[in-house]
Amino acid sequence: MFRQLEYFIQICKQGSYTKAAEVLMISQPTLSQQIRFLEGEVGTPLFEREGRGVKITAAGEILYEKALFVMRLIEESKKETYELRNTRTKKLLLGIPSMDFFYLIPWLLKFHEQYPDITLKFVSAENTSQQLLNGSIDIGITDNHEANKEIHMMHLYKEEQALVVYEDHPWADRTVISFQELENLDSALFVREISLIDQLHICSDKITKSLQSKFESTSAEILLFMVMHKMGAAILPASLIESFFGQKLKMIRLVDPTPVREIKLIFKKHHYNNPLVQTCIDFFLEQSKKLADYGHYK
């Protein structure tokens, strides 16, 4: 019956048995037979011939609305069953950018201590909003979220951005520079994370425009590898650079102003049928509050 409803809906959308059969990838005789079975069930014709296509009858209009409702219920049931299965296996899919992972390691270790029976599976976060909506992640951590009525966003923390150069870079002996000095950086060798320029515009449009790079990546590891191999300099989270000290890298802090990224926690507004998601949200917001209260992680 569900398959017949699916076939019926597709004919209504296409206005033709031939086109519907193509979309459904079945033969037209098979489609016609299934619709005859459906008409036998409801006891009335659902379509009238009209030229090369078909026109839905008044009875068909009633069934069409009900069929759409039924198929939506089926999809919702599949989704809730999937979420329930994940809850039972106690696994959460966390979308997190690679450049934020190092900062969050203490948080993640503490989460494991508090909830040893919950498995966190890390997923590369490239478009966290879309990943949330299509169910490929349960929670996202991002610095770049577009407004969406289905998604809720909450502040987690802000992090300083710094310049990282290779060990014998002309600026390698510097520990601090003003943001304005970036105008003198050899921009032909500047490498950057794809979303970085939008963040730096807040500090200076002029400087940001001068930092045009031939190399871009969403991977922090790739950017650091490029800097290590003297392909350029990059602006990255200070905690990430510090994690790679001793690997032929030098960090230079930026002041007047110091660029920062605001990191946000995002999740679907209607997540309450999965208690693991709420557990994770509560944990991250607790750590964020401690950070705000004490000015550093505890």
Side-chain angles (χ1 to χ4, degrees), residues 207-245:
I207 303 286
T208 303
K209 289 176 182 177
S210 73
L211 295 174
Q212 298 303 314
S213 172
K214 293 182 179 180
F215 307 108
E216 295 182 352
S217 176
T218 56
S219 167
E221 291 84 356
I222 289 176
L223 293 175
L224 285 167
F225 184 84
M226 293 169 74
V227 175
M228 275 189 252
H229 286 76
K230 304 183 181 182
M231 295 177 70
I235 295 178
L236 291 169
S239 65
L240 173 64
I241 302 171
E242 289 171 343
S243 299
F244 282 81
F245 270 177

mmCIF file of all heavy atoms in Angstrom, residues 207-245:
data_model
loop_
_atom_site.group_PDB
_atom_site.id
_atom_site.type_symbol
_atom_site.label_atom_id
_atom_site.label_comp_id
_atom_site.label_asym_id
_atom_site.label_seq_id
_atom_site.Cartn_x
_atom_site.Cartn_y
_atom_site.Cartn_z
ATOM 1 N N ILE A 207 43.847 45.871 5.267
ATOM 2 C CA ILE A 207 44.838 44.815 5.486
ATOM 3 C C ILE A 207 44.323 43.497 4.923
ATOM 4 O O ILE A 207 45.050 42.745 4.270
ATOM 5 C CB ILE A 207 45.146 44.642 6.987
ATOM 6 C CG1 ILE A 207 45.628 45.956 7.587
ATOM 7 C CG2 ILE A 207 46.149 43.522 7.194
ATOM 8 C CD1 ILE A 207 47.013 46.344 7.230
ATOM 9 N N THR A 208 43.051 43.210 5.181
ATOM 10 C CA THR A 208 42.481 41.945 4.732
ATOM 11 C C THR A 208 42.556 41.812 3.222
ATOM 12 O O THR A 208 42.886 40.745 2.689
ATOM 13 C CB THR A 208 41.015 41.827 5.201
ATOM 14 O OG1 THR A 208 40.966 41.955 6.620
ATOM 15 C CG2 THR A 208 40.431 40.487 4.807
ATOM 16 N N LYS A 209 42.276 42.909 2.520
ATOM 17 C CA LYS A 209 42.331 42.869 1.054
ATOM 18 C C LYS A 209 43.751 42.631 0.549
ATOM 19 O O LYS A 209 43.962 42.092 -0.532
ATOM 20 C CB LYS A 209 41.770 44.159 0.483
ATOM 21 C CG LYS A 209 40.259 44.279 0.640
ATOM 22 C CD LYS A 209 39.750 45.623 0.142
ATOM 23 C CE LYS A 209 38.243 45.745 0.347
ATOM 24 N NZ LYS A 209 37.717 47.064 -0.062
ATOM 25 N N SER A 210 44.742 43.053 1.342
ATOM 26 C CA SER A 210 46.131 42.877 0.912
ATOM 27 C C SER A 210 46.607 41.435 1.104
ATOM 28 O O SER A 210 47.587 41.013 0.510
ATOM 29 C CB SER A 210 47.063 43.823 1.686
ATOM 30 O OG SER A 210 47.224 43.388 3.034
ATOM 31 N N LEU A 211 45.890 40.684 1.950
ATOM 32 C CA LEU A 211 46.295 39.311 2.236
ATOM 33 C C LEU A 211 45.637 38.334 1.257
ATOM 34 O O LEU A 211 44.809 37.509 1.622
ATOM 35 C CB LEU A 211 45.912 38.939 3.672
ATOM 36 C CG LEU A 211 46.628 39.711 4.779
ATOM 37 C CD1 LEU A 211 46.056 39.342 6.141
ATOM 38 C CD2 LEU A 211 48.125 39.432 4.746
ATOM 39 N N GLN A 212 45.972 38.475 0.018
ATOM 40 C CA GLN A 212 45.432 37.578 -0.998
ATOM 41 C C GLN A 212 46.347 36.377 -1.154
ATOM 42 O O GLN A 212 47.540 36.518 -1.374
ATOM 43 C CB GLN A 212 45.274 38.323 -2.321
ATOM 44 C CG GLN A 212 44.301 39.487 -2.257
ATOM 45 C CD GLN A 212 42.910 39.066 -1.788
ATOM 46 O OE1 GLN A 212 42.372 38.060 -2.256
ATOM 47 N NE2 GLN A 212 42.343 39.824 -0.873
ATOM 48 N N SER A 213 45.773 35.186 -1.019
ATOM 49 C CA SER A 213 46.569 33.968 -1.003
ATOM 50 C C SER A 213 46.345 33.116 -2.234
ATOM 51 O O SER A 213 45.262 33.094 -2.801
ATOM 52 C CB SER A 213 46.208 33.154 0.241
ATOM 53 O OG SER A 213 46.819 31.895 0.196
ATOM 54 N N LYS A 214 47.389 32.384 -2.607
ATOM 55 C CA LYS A 214 47.266 31.414 -3.694
ATOM 56 C C LYS A 214 46.899 30.036 -3.156
ATOM 57 O O LYS A 214 46.664 29.108 -3.926
ATOM 58 C CB LYS A 214 48.584 31.329 -4.462
ATOM 59 C CG LYS A 214 48.929 32.609 -5.218
ATOM 60 C CD LYS A 214 50.225 32.443 -5.996
ATOM 61 C CE LYS A 214 50.558 33.724 -6.760
ATOM 62 N NZ LYS A 214 51.828 33.595 -7.522
ATOM 63 N N PHE A 215 46.879 29.887 -1.828
ATOM 64 C CA PHE A 215 46.613 28.592 -1.224
ATOM 65 C C PHE A 215 45.504 28.726 -0.191
ATOM 66 O O PHE A 215 45.569 29.592 0.677
ATOM 67 C CB PHE A 215 47.868 28.036 -0.546
ATOM 68 C CG PHE A 215 49.081 28.003 -1.431
ATOM 69 C CD1 PHE A 215 50.127 28.889 -1.230
ATOM 70 C CD2 PHE A 215 49.165 27.107 -2.483
ATOM 71 C CE1 PHE A 215 51.242 28.870 -2.040
ATOM 72 C CE2 PHE A 215 50.273 27.076 -3.299
ATOM 73 C CZ PHE A 215 51.319 27.957 -3.085
ATOM 74 N N GLU A 216 44.510 27.866 -0.256
ATOM 75 C CA GLU A 216 43.425 27.864 0.712
ATOM 76 C C GLU A 216 43.092 26.430 1.095
ATOM 77 O O GLU A 216 43.256 25.510 0.298
ATOM 78 C CB GLU A 216 42.169 28.530 0.137
ATOM 79 C CG GLU A 216 42.330 30.004 -0.169
ATOM 80 C CD GLU A 216 41.032 30.616 -0.683
ATOM 81 O OE1 GLU A 216 40.079 29.843 -0.926
ATOM 82 O OE2 GLU A 216 40.970 31.838 -0.829
ATOM 83 N N SER A 217 42.613 26.250 2.320
ATOM 84 C CA SER A 217 42.209 24.919 2.763
ATOM 85 C C SER A 217 41.309 25.047 3.976
ATOM 86 O O SER A 217 41.408 26.018 4.738
ATOM 87 C CB SER A 217 43.433 24.064 3.113
ATOM 88 O OG SER A 217 43.030 22.810 3.632
ATOM 89 N N THR A 218 40.418 24.071 4.170
ATOM 90 C CA THR A 218 39.629 23.995 5.405
ATOM 91 C C THR A 218 40.345 23.141 6.444
ATOM 92 O O THR A 218 39.885 23.023 7.567
ATOM 93 C CB THR A 218 38.249 23.366 5.127
ATOM 94 O OG1 THR A 218 38.437 22.077 4.523
ATOM 95 C CG2 THR A 218 37.424 24.247 4.195
ATOM 96 N N SER A 219 41.481 22.556 6.073
ATOM 97 C CA SER A 219 42.225 21.672 6.979
ATOM 98 C C SER A 219 43.359 22.428 7.654
ATOM 99 O O SER A 219 44.273 22.928 7.000
ATOM 100 C CB SER A 219 42.788 20.477 6.203
ATOM 101 O OG SER A 219 43.735 19.779 6.967
ATOM 102 N N ALA A 220 43.321 22.479 8.990
ATOM 103 C CA ALA A 220 44.392 23.131 9.748
ATOM 104 C C ALA A 220 45.706 22.388 9.561
ATOM 105 O O ALA A 220 46.775 22.996 9.491
ATOM 106 C CB ALA A 220 44.015 23.185 11.217
ATOM 107 N N GLU A 221 45.630 21.056 9.480
ATOM 108 C CA GLU A 221 46.848 20.255 9.319
ATOM 109 C C GLU A 221 47.545 20.579 7.999
ATOM 110 O O GLU A 221 48.775 20.693 7.942
ATOM 111 C CB GLU A 221 46.518 18.762 9.372
ATOM 112 C CG GLU A 221 46.073 18.273 10.732
ATOM 113 C CD GLU A 221 44.582 18.498 10.970
ATOM 114 O OE1 GLU A 221 43.920 19.109 10.090
ATOM 115 O OE2 GLU A 221 44.083 18.077 12.023
ATOM 116 N N ILE A 222 46.766 20.741 6.941
ATOM 117 C CA ILE A 222 47.345 21.073 5.639
ATOM 118 C C ILE A 222 48.020 22.437 5.692
ATOM 119 O O ILE A 222 49.138 22.623 5.192
ATOM 120 C CB ILE A 222 46.269 21.047 4.543
ATOM 121 C CG1 ILE A 222 45.839 19.600 4.258
ATOM 122 C CG2 ILE A 222 46.768 21.703 3.253
ATOM 123 C CD1 ILE A 222 44.709 19.468 3.265
ATOM 124 N N LEU A 223 47.373 23.410 6.324
ATOM 125 C CA LEU A 223 47.950 24.754 6.412
ATOM 126 C C LEU A 223 49.257 24.734 7.204
ATOM 127 O O LEU A 223 50.248 25.360 6.805
ATOM 128 C CB LEU A 223 46.946 25.715 7.053
ATOM 129 C CG LEU A 223 45.694 26.010 6.231
ATOM 130 C CD1 LEU A 223 44.726 26.881 7.024
ATOM 131 C CD2 LEU A 223 46.041 26.688 4.916
ATOM 132 N N LEU A 224 49.267 24.028 8.323
ATOM 133 C CA LEU A 224 50.495 23.940 9.116
ATOM 134 C C LEU A 224 51.601 23.223 8.345
ATOM 135 O O LEU A 224 52.772 23.606 8.406
ATOM 136 C CB LEU A 224 50.209 23.206 10.430
ATOM 137 C CG LEU A 224 49.440 24.016 11.478
ATOM 138 C CD1 LEU A 224 48.938 23.112 12.598
ATOM 139 C CD2 LEU A 224 50.300 25.136 12.049
ATOM 140 N N PHE A 225 51.245 22.191 7.621
ATOM 141 C CA PHE A 225 52.219 21.465 6.812
ATOM 142 C C PHE A 225 52.827 22.395 5.755
ATOM 143 O O PHE A 225 54.038 22.371 5.517
ATOM 144 C CB PHE A 225 51.529 20.277 6.134
ATOM 145 C CG PHE A 225 52.452 19.403 5.342
ATOM 146 C CD1 PHE A 225 53.176 18.395 5.958
ATOM 147 C CD2 PHE A 225 52.597 19.586 3.975
ATOM 148 C CE1 PHE A 225 54.033 17.576 5.224
ATOM 149 C CE2 PHE A 225 53.445 18.779 3.233
ATOM 150 C CZ PHE A 225 54.167 17.776 3.855
ATOM 151 N N MET A 226 51.999 23.239 5.155
ATOM 152 C CA MET A 226 52.479 24.175 4.142
ATOM 153 C C MET A 226 53.440 25.188 4.749
ATOM 154 O O MET A 226 54.471 25.526 4.157
ATOM 155 C CB MET A 226 51.287 24.879 3.478
ATOM 156 C CG MET A 226 50.418 23.931 2.648
ATOM 157 S SD MET A 226 48.856 24.702 2.152
ATOM 158 C CE MET A 226 49.439 25.823 0.894
ATOM 159 N N VAL A 227 53.105 25.677 5.959
ATOM 160 C CA VAL A 227 53.992 26.627 6.622
ATOM 161 C C VAL A 227 55.316 25.956 6.967
ATOM 162 O O VAL A 227 56.398 26.522 6.748
ATOM 163 C CB VAL A 227 53.331 27.201 7.894
ATOM 164 C CG1 VAL A 227 54.318 28.096 8.646
ATOM 165 C CG2 VAL A 227 52.074 27.990 7.534
ATOM 166 N N MET A 228 55.273 24.737 7.494
ATOM 167 C CA MET A 228 56.498 23.998 7.852
ATOM 168 C C MET A 228 57.420 23.831 6.653
ATOM 169 O O MET A 228 58.640 23.826 6.786
ATOM 170 C CB MET A 228 56.133 22.620 8.409
ATOM 171 C CG MET A 228 55.820 22.606 9.895
ATOM 172 S SD MET A 228 55.661 20.898 10.491
ATOM 173 C CE MET A 228 53.921 20.816 10.757
ATOM 174 N N HIS A 229 56.811 23.696 5.461
ATOM 175 C CA HIS A 229 57.592 23.492 4.247
ATOM 176 C C HIS A 229 57.821 24.801 3.480
ATOM 177 O O HIS A 229 58.046 24.801 2.273
ATOM 178 C CB HIS A 229 56.917 22.442 3.359
ATOM 179 C CG HIS A 229 57.084 21.051 3.890
ATOM 180 N ND1 HIS A 229 56.364 20.581 4.963
ATOM 181 C CD2 HIS A 229 57.916 20.035 3.524
ATOM 182 C CE1 HIS A 229 56.722 19.333 5.218
ATOM 183 N NE2 HIS A 229 57.666 18.986 4.373
ATOM 184 N N LYS A 230 57.736 25.899 4.230
ATOM 185 C CA LYS A 230 58.104 27.221 3.721
ATOM 186 C C LYS A 230 57.280 27.660 2.514
ATOM 187 O O LYS A 230 57.771 28.371 1.634
ATOM 188 C CB LYS A 230 59.600 27.263 3.385
ATOM 189 C CG LYS A 230 60.495 26.892 4.566
ATOM 190 C CD LYS A 230 61.965 27.000 4.227
ATOM 191 C CE LYS A 230 62.832 26.613 5.409
ATOM 192 N NZ LYS A 230 64.273 26.753 5.144
ATOM 193 N N MET A 231 56.009 27.227 2.490
ATOM 194 C CA MET A 231 55.124 27.660 1.418
ATOM 195 C C MET A 231 54.424 28.959 1.783
ATOM 196 O O MET A 231 53.691 29.517 0.975
ATOM 197 C CB MET A 231 54.095 26.568 1.125
ATOM 198 C CG MET A 231 54.706 25.292 0.570
ATOM 199 S SD MET A 231 53.496 23.983 0.322
ATOM 200 C CE MET A 231 52.566 24.657 -1.071
ATOM 201 N N GLY A 232 54.645 29.449 3.015
ATOM 202 C CA GLY A 232 54.032 30.704 3.393
ATOM 203 C C GLY A 232 53.814 30.811 4.888
ATOM 204 O O GLY A 232 54.307 30.008 5.677
ATOM 205 N N ALA A 233 53.074 31.846 5.265
ATOM 206 C CA ALA A 233 52.671 32.070 6.653
ATOM 207 C C ALA A 233 51.154 31.954 6.709
ATOM 208 O O ALA A 233 50.480 32.053 5.688
ATOM 209 C CB ALA A 233 53.119 33.448 7.123
ATOM 210 N N ALA A 234 50.620 31.734 7.910
ATOM 211 C CA ALA A 234 49.174 31.572 8.042
ATOM 212 C C ALA A 234 48.696 32.176 9.348
ATOM 213 O O ALA A 234 49.466 32.307 10.306
ATOM 214 C CB ALA A 234 48.792 30.098 7.971
ATOM 215 N N ILE A 235 47.415 32.530 9.388
ATOM 216 C CA ILE A 235 46.776 32.975 10.624
ATOM 217 C C ILE A 235 45.854 31.856 11.075
ATOM 218 O O ILE A 235 44.953 31.440 10.341
ATOM 219 C CB ILE A 235 45.997 34.284 10.415
ATOM 220 C CG1 ILE A 235 46.971 35.418 10.072
ATOM 221 C CG2 ILE A 235 45.195 34.632 11.662
ATOM 222 C CD1 ILE A 235 46.295 36.742 9.787
ATOM 223 N N LEU A 236 46.105 31.358 12.302
ATOM 224 C CA LEU A 236 45.379 30.207 12.831
ATOM 225 C C LEU A 236 45.125 30.409 14.327
ATOM 226 O O LEU A 236 45.728 31.295 14.951
ATOM 227 C CB LEU A 236 46.195 28.924 12.609
ATOM 228 C CG LEU A 236 46.351 28.449 11.156
ATOM 229 C CD1 LEU A 236 47.392 27.341 11.073
ATOM 230 C CD2 LEU A 236 45.012 27.965 10.606
ATOM 231 N N PRO A 237 44.258 29.589 14.945
ATOM 232 C CA PRO A 237 44.032 29.700 16.388
ATOM 233 C C PRO A 237 45.327 29.503 17.172
ATOM 234 O O PRO A 237 46.118 28.602 16.876
ATOM 235 C CB PRO A 237 43.038 28.566 16.675
ATOM 236 C CG PRO A 237 42.327 28.354 15.383
ATOM 237 C CD PRO A 237 43.351 28.609 14.321
ATOM 238 N N ALA A 238 45.531 30.350 18.178
ATOM 239 C CA ALA A 238 46.762 30.297 18.963
ATOM 240 C C ALA A 238 46.946 28.933 19.628
ATOM 241 O O ALA A 238 48.056 28.399 19.691
ATOM 242 C CB ALA A 238 46.753 31.403 20.022
ATOM 243 N N SER A 239 45.857 28.333 20.124
ATOM 244 C CA SER A 239 45.969 27.032 20.799
ATOM 245 C C SER A 239 46.431 25.952 19.834
ATOM 246 O O SER A 239 47.159 25.034 20.212
ATOM 247 C CB SER A 239 44.624 26.628 21.410
ATOM 248 O OG SER A 239 43.651 26.421 20.397
ATOM 249 N N LEU A 240 46.040 26.057 18.582
ATOM 250 C CA LEU A 240 46.463 25.088 17.574
ATOM 251 C C LEU A 240 47.954 25.217 17.298
ATOM 252 O O LEU A 240 48.688 24.225 17.254
ATOM 253 C CB LEU A 240 45.665 25.297 16.281
ATOM 254 C CG LEU A 240 46.088 24.468 15.075
ATOM 255 C CD1 LEU A 240 45.884 22.989 15.342
ATOM 256 C CD2 LEU A 240 45.311 24.891 13.837
ATOM 257 N N ILE A 241 48.416 26.455 17.141
ATOM 258 C CA ILE A 241 49.843 26.680 16.873
ATOM 259 C C ILE A 241 50.683 26.182 18.038
ATOM 260 O O ILE A 241 51.715 25.532 17.853
ATOM 261 C CB ILE A 241 50.108 28.176 16.612
ATOM 262 C CG1 ILE A 241 49.264 28.678 15.429
ATOM 263 C CG2 ILE A 241 51.590 28.419 16.326
ATOM 264 C CD1 ILE A 241 49.294 30.191 15.239
ATOM 265 N N GLU A 242 50.235 26.481 19.264
ATOM 266 C CA GLU A 242 50.976 26.054 20.455
ATOM 267 C C GLU A 242 51.095 24.535 20.524
ATOM 268 O O GLU A 242 52.083 24.001 21.033
ATOM 269 C CB GLU A 242 50.282 26.581 21.711
ATOM 270 C CG GLU A 242 50.431 28.095 21.879
ATOM 271 C CD GLU A 242 49.555 28.641 22.993
ATOM 272 O OE1 GLU A 242 48.618 27.920 23.411
ATOM 273 O OE2 GLU A 242 49.785 29.777 23.435
ATOM 274 N N SER A 243 50.106 23.837 19.993
ATOM 275 C CA SER A 243 50.127 22.368 20.015
ATOM 276 C C SER A 243 51.212 21.797 19.113
ATOM 277 O O SER A 243 51.591 20.638 19.255
ATOM 278 C CB SER A 243 48.765 21.816 19.576
ATOM 279 O OG SER A 243 47.752 22.241 20.446
ATOM 280 N N PHE A 244 51.717 22.632 18.181
ATOM 281 C CA PHE A 244 52.718 22.163 17.227
ATOM 282 C C PHE A 244 54.089 22.788 17.473
ATOM 283 O O PHE A 244 54.935 22.795 16.596
ATOM 284 C CB PHE A 244 52.254 22.452 15.792
ATOM 285 C CG PHE A 244 51.232 21.490 15.296
ATOM 286 C CD1 PHE A 244 49.895 21.643 15.645
ATOM 287 C CD2 PHE A 244 51.584 20.413 14.499
ATOM 288 C CE1 PHE A 244 48.937 20.754 15.194
ATOM 289 C CE2 PHE A 244 50.630 19.513 14.045
ATOM 290 C CZ PHE A 244 49.296 19.686 14.397
ATOM 291 N N PHE A 245 54.285 23.358 18.688
ATOM 292 C CA PHE A 245 55.597 23.923 19.012
ATOM 293 C C PHE A 245 56.670 22.836 18.883
ATOM 294 O O PHE A 245 56.446 21.674 19.156
ATOM 295 C CB PHE A 245 55.604 24.472 20.440
ATOM 296 C CG PHE A 245 55.193 25.914 20.533
ATOM 297 C CD1 PHE A 245 55.080 26.534 21.761
ATOM 298 C CD2 PHE A 245 54.918 26.653 19.394
ATOM 299 C CE1 PHE A 245 54.699 27.869 21.858
ATOM 300 C CE2 PHE A 245 54.537 27.976 19.478
ATOM 301 C CZ PHE A 245 54.426 28.581 20.708
#
